[in-house]
Amino acid sequence: RWLAAVGLLVAAGLAPAQLVDGGPLSGGVGERTWVATGSGDYRLGVGAAVLDLRQLPLASGTEIDVELGIGELVVRVPEGMTVQVDARVAAGEVRLPLEDDRQSVAGLHVGRAELVGPKGAVEVTLSAQVGVGSLQVRRG
């Protein structure tokens, strides 16, 4: 009986992570640092990940999709880029920079933001999802 109770607790803890396509372990386990060089998809099941957009070529229309089942995801965005961010966290925290006062929005499970660069800046679309954990988008 006690083993069934433990199994139910573990299943309940992993349920929000199932909201990320492919389940919580899609993409492996561990630490990852990705340097984006164009449109692409990035996946990690469990762990800590950094997605660096600072090396993207200067071409508008780039679409980036990143998913993490369980853990911490940090996305680094360069100063001179306009980024449309769609952030989703099933259970945890979203931190998005606000252009007006450079503060963060914390404690949200779904967030949308537009990080506006200088006039004529490259425009990128970022879709970021975390099942359980935290998601941070940082400038610079």
Side-chain angles (χ1 to χ4, degrees):
R1 293 171 118 187
W2 66 271
L3 191 54
V6 170
L8 286 174
L9 287 173
V10 169
L14 291 176
Q18 293 295 334
L19 296 175
V20 176
D21 292 339
L25 298 180
S26 175
V29 176
E31 293 184 12
R32 301 284 190 282
T33 299
W34 299 296
V35 178
T37 57
S39 293
D41 297 333
Y42 303 89
R43 309 259 182 289
L44 179 62
V46 179
V50 175
L51 175 60
D52 190 344
L53 304 181
R54 296 176 295 177
Q55 302 298 316
L56 277 174
L58 299 177
S60 289
T62 300
E63 296 182 9
I64 304 289
D65 184 25
V66 59
E67 295 180 5
L68 173 63
I70 301 170
E72 178 183 17
L73 173 60
V74 175
V75 180
R76 295 180 177 246
V77 178
E79 291 290 334
M81 182 180 287
T82 296
V83 183
Q84 299 288 335
V85 180
D86 180 13
R88 298 168 192 250
V89 175
E93 178 179 56
V94 174
R95 291 186 168 272
L96 301 172
L98 296 175
E99 290 303 306
D100 295 339
D101 57 4
R102 301 288 183 184
Q103 298 295 315
S104 295
V105 176
L108 298 177
H109 295 296
V110 175
R112 293 185 191 277
E114 180 178 20
L115 296 114
V116 180
K119 186 175 181 174
V122 172
E123 294 186 23
V124 172
T125 302
L126 170 67
S127 174
Q129 297 182 39
V130 174
V132 177
S134 68
L135 166 61
Q136 296 181 34
V137 177
R138 300 179 185 162
R139 276 276 196 203

